């Protein structure tokens, strides 16, 4: 009787337990997510490349490149199966035998205490379910959901799709999601170029990337890698000889590249363009126009030259008493040094990153208006920034002044380099695109170009440099403009006036053309990128604000034969699905597409899609005059560079904004320098003394890495060479005369003028 009651209780409890289990499982099934993996695509992140397809910036923290199953190397699949789920192609979503085996192996490992390679029981399908559909909570409910979904997925989808998604979804450490990204981030190689032991190392990582980091625990990483190799041997994926060879190789990883996760001025500009054009909902592959070599040259040239310039006016404030503080401001081009010794001749510095010892020459490092020696402004154990410039080391400190650089291809508008300031981490305000400042004298070549186009002025036209009075209107004082030197120079040729950036002659040319005519021309070339009132005389001397990018773009017309270009920092944008979203083409081609069925062949005709705003002849004449500005004008400090350069400086009142635009056969380079809150940069400082040296450093470093360039400015047809006296403008064969260029029409005008003067002389 007691036995019968006991059995009744057991039966009742069983019924209750089964009922509870059924309700529990029913509730779990009601809460299961949709398991349709055919529509699932791992989230990819927008990636920005330079012009050579080198990854430049990766948006966000997840790094992923998606690979189809057929593109995944076979050895990678074999390695991951050996490491994670050797019966993957046989089981139906879970592996009872694997669970039992894992239990036994892990007991042995715990008992032996000398093996950390614990074996997991989850199949690849279960791991995929956990990563895609569920969380990582260590609960019975989650494990049951995982099991149910795994069985369903295995019933509906192929093994190939499951492992494809797994190898693209799983986290491998170093921000790498998927094997393709992991290959680059660990070995700096394509997944297709790895060797067997490298595939084995990647396959070892999903178990716990931080646990198998060789820098943290090389022995554990080495053993885990070799465990995977051993499983590959046992599964007959590799031979015993291969195992013996690969298991003795060292694990050699590349240094982590965290730079690609750091935004800067140029990547901000790219992403802003995408956002403004509604490309912000999906991930994209973007090929930019940036040349990273020139980008780095530009960045270092800007921060070094401005740091050296500030030594003239600032006191030393660049010492730090502890390393943590100075690390907050570190950049890619300056080293952190510690003062370890000093004497009357030099300071001894320990470079923190490399433990290298360097010396600072005291005479090269005087600081401030009073030229204080580093003996006096540096103390032992101070931490400071030092920069290597022309093989010498200099003390440098964080800037108060700022600036920007643009390098552009004048023939298509490609932005080759964009530096928006001296320190993006301290201020992401882009001074190349967002800082609107007065261009000063840098507007002058455009007024002179308009003058040549009207044929009112010729390159050798004489104009009197003399004082003028300008009535500015009711209740405004009479404006008495001056040259920078406060002097007048008598008669100057048109060419000479632009070479020396003469203010008064420029005003006279502009007034002769008329403000309406000048403004119409500036509108035609899109000189300003916003609506502005330019109906004031000071417009002729650059009083209306503009930004560096727009000015640099405008200077392109003097290099490309007179065509408008629009600045572009993007070559191509491709979607996740491989769709070409943007493809910037600068030329259109008639009759370029034909087939063998066409009745006749027509020679392709390639035409520029850009608008012509000045003639090629005028374009080159201004360019040639700006070459003269380098030879004997405001840019003559560039004379020692053996490379074709034309250029124009720009200086505003009180030296608040300083500019230089350098034109070469390949690039137009714009440089701006100024304080974010405008104030005088320094007494009598000019674009020549502050902005031009930045360009000079850029071009010198460019030529160092491009020693075989043999570039020349292209002279358009229909220009005639004449020898001209630089002072009188007279055409003659004088020995000291310069070469100048004229159109046939200009020479005819000169001939007519000479005839009139000759007749007047007879009368």
């Amino acid at each position: 009787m007691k036995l019968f009651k006991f059995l009744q209780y057991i039966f009742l409890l069983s019924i209750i337990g089964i009922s509870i289990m059924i309700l529990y499982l029913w509730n779990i099934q009601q809460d299961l997510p949709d398991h349709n993996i055919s529509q699932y695509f791992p989230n990819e992140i927008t990636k920005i490349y330079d012009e050579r397809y080198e990854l430049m910036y990766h948006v966000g923290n997840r790094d992923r490149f998606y690979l189809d199953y057929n593109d995944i190397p076979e050895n990678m699949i074999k390695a991951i199966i050996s490491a994670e789920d050797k019966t993957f192609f046989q089981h139906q979503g879970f592996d009872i035998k694997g669970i039992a085996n894992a239990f036994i192996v892990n007991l042995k490992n715990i008992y032996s205490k000398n093996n950390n390679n614990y074996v997991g029981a989850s199949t690849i399908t279960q791991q995929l379910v956990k990563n895609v559909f569920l969380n990582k909570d260590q609960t019975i409910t989650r494990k049951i959901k995982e099991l149910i979904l795994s069985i369903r997925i295995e019933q509906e989808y192929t093994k190939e799709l499951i492992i494809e998604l797994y190898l693209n979804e799983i986290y491998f450490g170093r921000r790498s999601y998927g094997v393709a990204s992991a290959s680059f981030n660990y070995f700096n190689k394509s997944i297709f170029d790895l060797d067997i032991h490298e595939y084995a190392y990647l396959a070892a990582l999903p178990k716990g990337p931080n646990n198998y980091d060789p820098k943290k625990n090389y022995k554990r990483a080495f053993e885990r890698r070799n465990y995977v190799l051993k499983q590959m041997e046992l599964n007959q994926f590799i031979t015993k000889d291969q195992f013996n060879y690969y298991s003795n190789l060292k694990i050699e990883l590349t240094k982590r590249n965290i730079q690609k996760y750091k935004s800067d001025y140029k990547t901000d500009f790219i992403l802003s363009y995408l956002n403004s054009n509604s490309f912000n909902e999906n991930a994209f592959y973007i090929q930019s126009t940036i040349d990273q070599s020139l980008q780095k040259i530009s960045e270092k040239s800007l921060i070094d030259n401005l740091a050296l310039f500030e030594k003239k006016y600032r006191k030393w404030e660049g010492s730090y008493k502890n390393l943590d503080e100075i690390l907050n401001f570190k950049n890619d081009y300056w080293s952190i040094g510690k003062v370890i010794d000093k004497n009357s001749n030099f300071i001894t510095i320990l470079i923190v990153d490399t433990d290298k010892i360097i010396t600072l020459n005291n005479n090269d490092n005087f600081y401030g208006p009073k030229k204080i020696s580093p003996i006096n402004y540096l103390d032992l154990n101070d931490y400071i920034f030092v920069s290597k410039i022309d093989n010498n080391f200099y003390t440098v400190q964080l800037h108060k002044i700022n600036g920007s650089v643009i390098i552009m291809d004048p023939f298509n508008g490609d932005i080759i380099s964009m530096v928006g300031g001296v320190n993006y981490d301290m201020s992401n305000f882009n001074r190349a695109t967002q800082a609107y400042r007065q261009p000063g004298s840098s507007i002058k070549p455009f007024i002179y170009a308009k003058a040549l186009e009207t044929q009112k002025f010729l390159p050798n036209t004489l104009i009197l440099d003399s004082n003028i009075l300008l009535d500015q209107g009711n209740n405004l004082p009479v404006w008495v403009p001056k040259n920078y030197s406060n002097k007048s120079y008598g008669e100057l040729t048109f060419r000479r006036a632009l070479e020396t950036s003469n203010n008064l002659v420029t005003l006279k040319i502009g007034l002769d053309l008329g403000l309406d005519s000048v403004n119409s021309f500036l509108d035609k070339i899109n000189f300003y990128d916003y609506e502005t009132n330019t109906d004031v005389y000071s417009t002729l001397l650059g009083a209306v604000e503009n930004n560096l990018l727009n000015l640099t773009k405008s200077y392109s017309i003097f290099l490309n034969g007179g065509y408008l270009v629009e600045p572009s920092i993007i070559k191509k944008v491709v979607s996740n699905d491989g769709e070409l979203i943007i493809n910037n083409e600068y030329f259109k081609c008639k009759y370029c597409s034909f087939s063998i069925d066409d009745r006749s062949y027509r020679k392709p005709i390639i035409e520029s899609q850009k608008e012509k705003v000045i003639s090629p002849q005028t374009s080159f004449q201004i360019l040639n005059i700006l070459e003269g500005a380098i030879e004997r004008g405001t840019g003559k400090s560039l004379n020692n560079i053996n490379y074709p350069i034309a250029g124009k400086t720009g200086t505003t009142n009180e030296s608040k904004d300083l500019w230089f635009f350098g034109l070469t056969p390949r690039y137009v380079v714009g440089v701006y320098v100024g304080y974010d809150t405008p104030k005088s940069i320094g007494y009598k400082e000019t674009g020549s003394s502050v902005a031009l040296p930045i360009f000079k450093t850029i071009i010198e470093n460019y030529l160092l890495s491009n020693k075989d360039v043999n570039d020349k400015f292209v002279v358009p047809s229909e220009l005639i060479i004449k020898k001209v006296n630089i002072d009188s403008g007279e055409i003659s064969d004088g020995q000291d005369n310069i070469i100048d260029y004229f159109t046939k029409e200009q020479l005819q005008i000169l001939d007519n003028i000479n005839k009139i003067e000759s007749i007047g002389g007879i009368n």
Side-chain angles (χ1 to χ4, degrees):
M1 191 70 178
K2 289 182 178 180
L3 178 62
F4 180 73
K5 285 188 175 182
F6 177 74
L7 291 174
Q8 280 185 319
Y9 285 132
I10 293 295
F11 179 74
L12 183 60
L13 288 172
S14 298
I15 294 296
I16 293 172
I18 292 170
S19 300
I20 291 172
M21 181 63 71
I22 291 171
L23 286 171
Y24 176 67
L25 291 175
W26 186 82
N27 283 327
I28 285 178
Q29 290 205 67
Q30 293 299 308
D31 195 35
L32 286 176
D34 183 5
H35 64 282
N36 182 5
I37 61 172
S38 64
Q39 300 299 316
Y40 174 74
F41 189 85
N43 180 39
E44 290 206 67
I45 303 299
T46 295
K47 302 173 185 72
I48 301 174
Y49 300 85
D50 66 12
E51 62 167 357
R52 295 185 177 91
Y53 292 101
E54 291 290 328
L55 185 61
M56 191 167 70
Y57 179 60
H58 184 291
V59 181
N61 294 323
R62 293 194 170 197
D63 198 347
R64 193 195 315 272
F65 297 88
Y66 194 89
L67 293 175
D68 292 331
Y69 177 81
N70 292 330
D71 294 328
I72 301 171
E74 185 179 0
N75 280 324
M76 185 68 247
I77 293 173
K78 289 176 177 178
I80 202 72
I81 288 173
S82 299
E84 295 293 328
D85 188 0
K86 67 179 181 180
T87 62
F88 171 74
F89 284 101
Q90 287 80 46
H91 64 63
Q92 299 302 310
F94 65 98
D95 184 6
I96 293 295
K97 186 178 177 181
I99 293 170
N101 181 64
F103 180 75
I104 295 168
V105 170
N106 290 338
L107 275 181
K108 288 180 179 179
N109 289 339
I110 293 169
Y111 182 75
S112 65
K113 297 182 180 180
N114 59 7
N115 193 330
N116 292 316
N117 290 314
Y118 297 109
V119 179
S122 293
T123 63
I124 281 175
T125 311
Q126 287 174 287
Q127 292 181 54
L128 177 65
V129 166
K130 179 177 67 176
N131 278 275
V132 173
F133 299 117
L134 305 174
N135 55 45
K136 296 183 181 181
D137 293 344
Q138 298 295 322
T139 63
I140 295 295
T141 300
R142 199 269 294 165
K143 291 298 290 184
I144 293 173
K145 288 181 178 180
E146 181 184 293
L147 182 61
I148 295 171
L149 288 171
S150 297
I151 293 171
R152 290 181 178 179
I153 285 171
E154 288 274 359
Q155 291 173 343
E156 296 184 36
Y157 301 101
T158 65
K159 292 284 188 178
E160 288 77 13
L161 177 60
I162 293 169
I163 200 167
E164 173 188 312
L165 288 174
Y166 175 82
L167 285 172
N168 283 288
E169 170 67 31
I170 206 74
Y171 181 58
F172 285 84
R174 292 196 175 188
R175 301 185 183 181
S176 306
Y177 289 79
V179 289
S181 293
S183 177
F184 279 110
N185 290 337
Y186 281 97
F187 299 108
N188 197 30
K189 291 193 288 188
S190 164
I191 188 72
F192 309 109
D193 297 329
L194 299 186
D195 208 343
I196 288 174
H197 66 290
E198 294 167 325
Y199 288 121
Y201 178 75
L202 292 185
L205 292 171
K207 189 67 66 182
N210 289 330
N211 296 333
Y212 304 115
D213 184 343
K215 284 190 175 181
K216 295 179 180 178
N217 192 326
Y218 184 85
K219 182 174 182 293
R220 175 184 283 186
F222 187 78
E223 287 178 351
R224 176 68 182 169
R225 192 275 312 266
N226 285 356
Y227 166 79
V228 178
L229 287 170
K230 188 63 179 178
Q231 295 304 305
M232 292 179 76
E233 181 200 351
L234 293 174
N235 293 335
Q236 298 183 350
F237 294 147
I238 61 174
T239 66
K240 185 174 183 179
D241 288 341
Q242 285 178 308
F243 169 75
N244 290 335
Y245 172 73
Y246 288 120
S247 62
N248 284 301
L249 295 179
K250 291 182 178 180
I251 299 175
E252 295 181 348
L253 306 181
T254 56
K255 186 178 179 182
R256 291 187 66 181
N257 176 19
I258 60 172
Q259 284 297 111
K260 65 183 178 182
Y261 302 106
K262 290 182 63 178
S263 184
D264 57 19
Y265 298 107
K266 61 185 182 298
T267 55
D268 270 4
F269 187 69
I270 292 170
L271 294 175
S272 174
Y273 174 85
L274 291 178
N275 291 337
S276 64
N277 287 276
S278 302
F279 294 133
N280 56 347
E281 296 182 359
N282 298 300
F284 300 97
Y285 297 91
I286 303 165
Q287 182 193 11
S288 75
T289 58
I290 296 295
D291 180 324
Q292 295 224 67
S293 174
L294 274 171
Q295 178 70 27
K296 290 174 182 176
I297 287 172
S298 301
E299 289 171 352
K300 182 167 171 58
S301 299
L302 180 70
I303 66 172
D304 280 351
N305 277 284
L306 291 185
L308 293 181
F309 168 76
E310 283 197 306
K311 291 171 68 175
K312 292 170 63 175
Y313 297 103
R314 281 183 64 190
K315 293 181 179 179
W316 175 256
E317 304 167 286
S319 294
Y320 299 83
K321 296 305 177 184
N322 64 74
L323 183 59
D324 289 339
E325 185 181 3
I326 194 172
L327 281 170
N328 293 327
F329 307 107
K330 183 167 172 42
N331 63 50
D332 295 332
Y333 304 102
W334 292 353
S335 299
I336 295 175
K338 182 179 182 180
V339 180
I340 58 175
D341 192 19
K342 61 180 187 176
N343 59 47
S344 58
N345 296 317
F346 56 82
I347 306 289
T348 305
I349 301 289
L350 170 70
I351 301 299
V352 172
D353 288 346
T354 62
D355 288 335
K356 181 181 177 181
I357 303 294
I358 65 165
T359 56
L360 301 175
N361 188 305
N362 289 348
N363 292 333
D364 292 334
N365 285 282
F366 292 142
Y367 223 95
K370 295 183 179 180
K371 299 188 182 300
I372 306 298
S373 169
I375 283 289
N376 297 318
Y377 66 75
L378 293 181
D379 296 325
L380 289 177
N381 298 317
D382 276 357
Y383 288 96
I384 62 169
F385 287 116
V386 295
S387 185
K388 189 176 183 180
I389 306 170
D390 297 331
N391 293 319
N392 292 319
F393 289 96
Y394 295 87
T395 57
V396 287
Q397 63 178 328
L398 297 179
H399 309 79
K400 289 188 176 178
I401 200 169
N402 225 306
S404 52
V405 176
I406 289 286
I407 301 180
M408 184 180 291
D409 184 328
F411 303 100
N412 57 27
D414 282 356
I415 297 171
I416 308 301
S417 170
M418 173 183 282
V419 188
V422 294
N423 193 317
Y424 176 84
D425 292 332
M426 296 181 70
S427 167
N428 55 28
F429 178 74
N430 191 331
R431 292 149 193 87
T433 62
Q434 296 174 295
Y436 284 81
R437 300 289 187 267
Q438 292 182 356
S441 302
S442 52
I443 197 177
K444 291 174 181 175
F446 303 97
I447 297 169
Y448 282 68
K450 174 61 179 176
L452 288 177
E453 286 283 286
T454 62
Q455 306 237 11
K456 281 189 170 186
F457 296 87
L458 311 179
N460 62 338
T461 299
L462 283 172
I463 305 138
L464 182 63
D465 172 19
S466 60
N467 290 334
I468 53 177
L469 305 178
L470 294 171
D471 182 2
Q472 299 185 91
N474 294 334
N475 301 319
L476 292 173
V478 172
W479 183 32
V480 185
K482 300 285 184 181
N483 287 323
Y484 180 77
S485 63
N486 283 326
K487 298 178 182 178
S488 297
Y489 298 91
E491 283 192 327
L492 293 175
T493 62
F494 181 92
R495 163 184 281 275
R496 189 63 181 153
L498 181 53
E499 287 181 355
T500 57
S501 196
N502 189 284
N503 286 343
L504 297 177
V505 170
T506 301
L507 280 170
K508 288 188 174 182
I509 292 172
L511 292 171
D512 188 82
L513 296 172
L515 278 178
D516 288 343
S517 176
V518 171
N519 290 333
S520 294
F521 177 69
L522 294 178
D523 288 340
K524 181 181 179 182
I525 66 173
N526 297 329
F527 187 77
Y528 300 105
D529 62 359
Y530 61 97
E531 291 290 329
T532 180
N533 176 22
T534 53
D535 192 23
V536 289
Y537 296 127
S538 57
T539 300
L540 301 173
L541 296 183
V544 179
E545 294 175 340
N546 211 333
N547 67 32
L548 180 66
L549 179 61
N550 207 48
L551 285 167
T552 306
K553 175 263 297 185
S554 298
Y555 267 88
S556 294
I557 66 174
F558 303 130
L559 282 166
N560 64 22
Y563 288 90
L564 282 183
V565 295
E566 282 304 313
S568 173
I569 200 168
I570 293 175
K571 282 189 176 181
K572 293 180 181 178
V573 177
V574 178
S575 72
N576 269 342
D577 300 325
E579 180 186 358
L580 187 62
I581 307 295
I582 295 176
N583 185 20
N584 284 329
E585 294 180 350
Y586 306 103
F587 302 94
K588 61 182 178 180
C589 185
K590 290 184 179 179
Y591 316 125
C592 286
S593 299
F594 62 93
S595 70
I596 57 174
D597 297 325
D598 287 345
R599 305 177 88 183
S600 62
Y601 169 77
R602 294 185 179 184
K603 183 179 179 180
I605 301 173
I606 299 175
E607 299 176 355
S608 171
Q609 298 193 87
K610 304 304 179 184
E611 179 187 354
K612 184 178 178 182
V613 290
I614 57 175
S615 71
Q617 291 74 31
T618 296
S619 169
F620 182 80
Q621 284 177 312
I622 294 296
L623 177 67
N624 185 250
I625 293 173
L626 296 181
E627 274 192 278
I630 302 301
E631 292 174 22
R632 54 191 164 265
T634 55
K636 57 188 175 185
S637 60
L638 295 171
N639 264 335
N640 61 336
I641 298 177
N642 185 26
Y643 187 68
I645 299 173
K648 182 69 188 77
T649 55
T651 306
T652 63
N653 287 339
E654 300 177 37
S655 300
K656 289 182 178 179
D657 301 299
L658 304 179
W659 311 78
F660 183 77
F661 295 90
L663 291 74
T664 75
R666 295 190 184 210
Y667 303 117
V668 54
V669 182
V671 179
Y672 160 75
V673 176
Y675 288 99
D676 287 345
T677 301
K679 66 177 183 177
S680 177
I681 291 170
Y683 179 69
K684 291 290 186 180
E685 296 292 355
T686 64
S688 220
S689 64
V690 182
L692 182 149
I694 297 168
F695 168 82
K696 185 176 184 181
T697 304
I698 292 171
I699 200 67
E700 286 175 339
N701 281 279
Y702 167 74
L703 293 174
L704 280 175
S705 54
N706 296 271
K707 294 180 180 179
D708 297 327
V709 293
N710 189 26
D711 299 333
K712 294 180 180 178
F713 292 124
V714 178
V715 182
S717 59
E718 300 179 16
L719 280 179
I720 301 166
I721 295 176
K722 294 290 183 180
K723 283 190 174 182
V724 177
N725 184 286
I726 187 67
D727 295 318
S728 68
E730 181 182 354
I731 296 177
S732 67
D733 291 328
Q735 190 172 8
D736 296 329
N737 287 359
I738 63 165
I739 296 294
D740 214 336
Y741 295 82
F742 297 85
T743 65
K744 184 177 179 180
E745 291 77 14
Q746 287 173 337
L747 290 176
Q748 185 64 50
I749 291 170
L750 277 175
D751 189 49
N752 291 337
I753 291 172
N754 290 334
K755 285 179 181 178
I756 292 171
E757 288 178 347
S758 176
I759 294 171
I762 293 172
N763 292 338

